[in-house]
Amino acid sequence: MSTATSSDLMVSPDPTVTAVPFNRLLRVELRKLVDTRAGFWLLISIGLITVAVIAVFLFVADPDQLTFLNFVGAAATPQSILLPVLGILAVTAEWSQRTGLVTFTLEPSRLRIAVAKLLAVTLVGLAAVVVALGVAALSNVAGMAFLDGAGTWNVGAANVRDFFALQLIGIVQGFAFGMLLMNTAAAVVLYYVLPIAWNLLFSMVDALGKVAPWLDLNTAMAPTFAQQTLNPTDWAHIAVSGTLWVLIPLAIGVTRLLHHEVKSA
């Protein structure tokens, strides 16, 4: 009786089996953003709060302040606060909802999953910014028609570019912190507390004032909150501080994801 060798026991891969298409992974990750109550209500909250802030500005601001640029600035604040949480939830939900085992079984390439998640939250962030711009435009028209607002459309391509950049950097930073910690509460707290503490350090120590834009992302992005367009020096500040606060946490988080043990419970 012959003994089966290891080569006899090897199963040849089925040539008809192909990898999961990336567009399917992207659709799944987009669906996951609204499948949980936290994700669904966060998206609803982002929309409602953005509209509410713009409406309050419409009725509180002086008529000469009712311009498209100011309405865009009003929309930027709530979105810059809430959109990063969406990036955090996109990652941490796999662990808090115990779906990671299913996800990484159906698609063993964790890197593809991470890329799909990042692209999904980026697309939703872009959509949120577009909606905010639309609401700001409608509010500007309403201000002119009913409140004798200035109604100027003094927004250039650079202003729109910077608005998009502000929101997308925040989303990716939230995603990076979520990837780094893989825990919703810890990632949210760290995302908000650590940059604030870091910013306070530079504010209180005068000697650090000159290096603050290079090491503090909030300081580097400050011109956008002041409705100023970013110049080449500002972009250099964002590149350096963004590497410290976004790219490095993201790289460490991805490395951790690739080696993190996935459990069903």
Side-chain angles (χ1 to χ4, degrees):
M1 182 175 179
S2 60
T3 303
T5 63
S6 59
S7 60
D8 296 328
L9 297 176
M10 293 179 62
V11 178
S12 300
D14 187 348
T16 63
V17 177
T18 59
V20 179
F22 184 78
N23 62 346
R24 186 182 303 167
L25 294 178
L26 179 59
R27 290 199 304 270
V28 170
E29 295 303 330
L30 285 169
R31 179 65 181 272
K32 285 181 181 179
L33 293 177
V34 296
D35 269 351
T36 63
R37 282 176 294 179
F40 175 79
W41 285 110
L42 177 61
L43 288 172
I44 295 297
S45 299
I46 291 172
L48 292 178
I49 293 175
T50 299
V51 172
V53 169
I54 292 179
V56 169
F57 181 80
L58 175 64
F59 291 103
V60 171
D62 295 330
D64 63 329
Q65 295 297 313
L66 298 179
T67 67
F68 183 50
L69 182 60
N70 287 335
F71 281 117
V72 171
T77 300
Q79 290 204 348
S80 64
I81 294 173
L82 296 176
L83 282 177
V85 180
L86 186 67
I88 291 173
L89 291 177
V91 179
T92 58
E94 294 287 4
W95 314 101
S96 62
Q97 302 297 324
R98 307 296 187 183
T99 59
L101 185 61
V102 175
T103 297
F104 299 126
T105 298
L106 295 176
E107 174 50 70
S109 175
R110 298 186 184 186
L111 185 59
R112 294 185 77 211
I113 294 293
V115 173
K117 287 180 180 296
L118 180 57
L119 184 56
V121 295
T122 300
L123 290 176
V124 172
L126 288 173
V129 173
V130 171
V131 171
L133 291 173
V135 174
L138 292 175
S139 299
N140 194 37
V141 173
M144 286 188 292
F146 303 108
L147 299 173
D148 197 27
T152 57
W153 300 89
N154 52 337
V155 174
N159 297 109
V160 176
R161 174 204 65 195
D162 295 347
F163 183 41
F164 274 92
L166 172 68
Q167 308 303 349
L168 293 182
I169 289 173
I171 291 173
V172 177
Q173 186 182 10
F175 184 87
F177 276 51
M179 189 76 73
L180 182 64
L181 298 175
M182 297 183 184
N183 179 280
T184 303
V188 169
V189 171
L190 186 66
Y191 175 82
Y192 288 114
V193 173
L194 188 57
I196 292 174
W198 190 254
N199 184 264
L200 287 175
L201 173 64
F202 285 100
S203 300
M204 292 186 298
V205 181
D206 294 336
L208 298 177
K210 292 183 178 180
V211 299
W214 299 98
L215 300 177
D216 178 35
L217 187 56
N218 288 333
T219 302
M221 296 294 296
T224 59
F225 289 102
Q227 300 180 2
Q228 301 172 6
T229 56
L230 298 173
N231 57 44
T233 301
D234 295 327
W235 284 111
H237 292 158
I238 292 172
V240 175
S241 58
T243 299
L244 176 65
W245 287 99
V246 180
L247 297 184
I248 291 178
L250 181 61
I252 297 174
V254 170
T255 302
R256 186 186 180 198
L257 175 69
L258 296 179
H259 299 90
H260 190 72
E261 181 182 2
V262 181
K263 299 179 181 179
S264 59

